[in-house]
Amino acid sequence: MYKEKIFLKLPIRYKNLFTIYPPSVNDVVGNDKFLQYRSILTISQEEIEDRFAEKMPDKKDLKIPTPFELLLVNSYNSKEFYEIAKEAFYFFTKTEISILFDLKVIVIGNLEEELKRIKNIEELKLLKEEDFFDFQNQIRLCIGEEEKEPPNPNEDPRVKRIKAKARYRDKIKAKQKKGLSLETNLIAICCMGIGITPLNIGELSYASISKLTRTFQEKEKYQMDIDSLLAGAKNIKPKYWIRNLNE
């Protein structure tokens, strides 16, 4: 039910730690740091490995940090980064966090207030390394991105290199091929005749925008294919537009 809740901008309870709030269009467009928040909370292991490979290509045996370790290290080394990381968590969870660097855990809630509330240190709500990958996937879904598969620690190095080269090619292609901008998506949805206007589109969930646009495109294509068949065209196989688009 996660995706349905996200589409409708309904809050999601994450384990027993906190609630994740899918952002609205207004939340995203109105916050100039959103892209930083996204990067901090959703960076993948593959992206980290690619960055290290670009910056230090000669250091093949260098230990690559996990996304959780990178968050902790950057927060420890930069007060500015730490503040933005705390803002990122608050943006999605409406909850303060503190990092206990020695223990390598993220405390959910204001640490001083939590220490006053609890009777035993074990009562602290902690986000740990083993929880972070799943948490990242929930954030990805909340901003309209696909979940990622967990990295395979025993993957053949040759396969790993092939995948890295493929990601690099995809990165180059993505730069050359520009997709629809958010502005264009918003304008298009306002022209679909479904009751969405510039006055209320900001209340939609941010994750729903690309899905609405793509579904409408599939609907238009289906209708064009039907019209073409009726006009005598051949070798056209219309695909009904109401379907799971990721299948």
Side-chain angles (χ1 to χ4, degrees), residues 42-57:
T42 67
I43 188 170
S44 68
Q45 187 66 49
E46 292 80 9
E47 287 174 311
I48 296 173
E49 291 174 359
D50 291 344
R51 288 184 185 182
F52 273 75
E54 289 176 9
K55 294 181 179 179
M56 293 173 280

Side-chain angles (χ1 to χ4, degrees), residues 105-197:
V105 294
I106 296 175
V107 178
I108 307 304
N110 182 286
L111 183 58
E112 292 184 7
E113 294 179 4
E114 290 298 305
L115 291 176
K116 292 177 184 177
R117 179 185 62 82
I118 64 174
K119 296 180 180 179
N120 190 309
I121 194 70
E122 294 179 355
E123 295 179 31
L124 283 175
K125 294 181 179 180
L126 305 176
L127 183 65
K128 303 178 181 179
E129 171 79 65
E130 55 264 33
D131 304 311
F132 197 64
F133 180 82
D134 184 48
F135 168 70
Q136 285 189 299
N137 268 339
Q138 300 309 312
I139 298 298
R140 291 184 183 109
L141 289 175
C142 282
I143 56 177
E145 298 181 5
E146 294 297 320
E147 295 176 277
K148 291 188 178 294
E149 293 293 325
N152 180 7
N154 301 316
E155 189 172 48
D156 188 317
R158 292 169 297 181
V159 174
K160 206 168 188 176
R161 287 194 293 271
I162 292 172
K163 288 183 177 180
K165 290 180 180 178
R167 289 196 301 272
Y168 180 76
R169 289 195 297 269
D170 291 342
K171 189 176 179 180
I172 297 298
K173 289 180 181 178
K175 287 183 178 180
Q176 296 172 343
K177 182 181 178 182
K178 294 183 179 180
L180 295 178
S181 67
L182 176 59
E183 179 191 23
T184 300
N185 272 293
L186 296 179
I187 293 171
I189 292 172
C190 289
C191 296
M192 289 179 183
I194 57 175
I196 303 299
T197 73

Side-chain angles (χ1 to χ4, degrees), residues 34-35 60 80 156 172-173 180 193 214 217 221 241:
F34 171 74
L35 292 180
K60 303 294 184 183
E80 181 182 0
D156 188 317
I172 297 298
K173 289 180 181 178
L180 295 178
R214 186 179 173 194
Q217 288 173 328
K221 184 178 184 304
W241 63 278

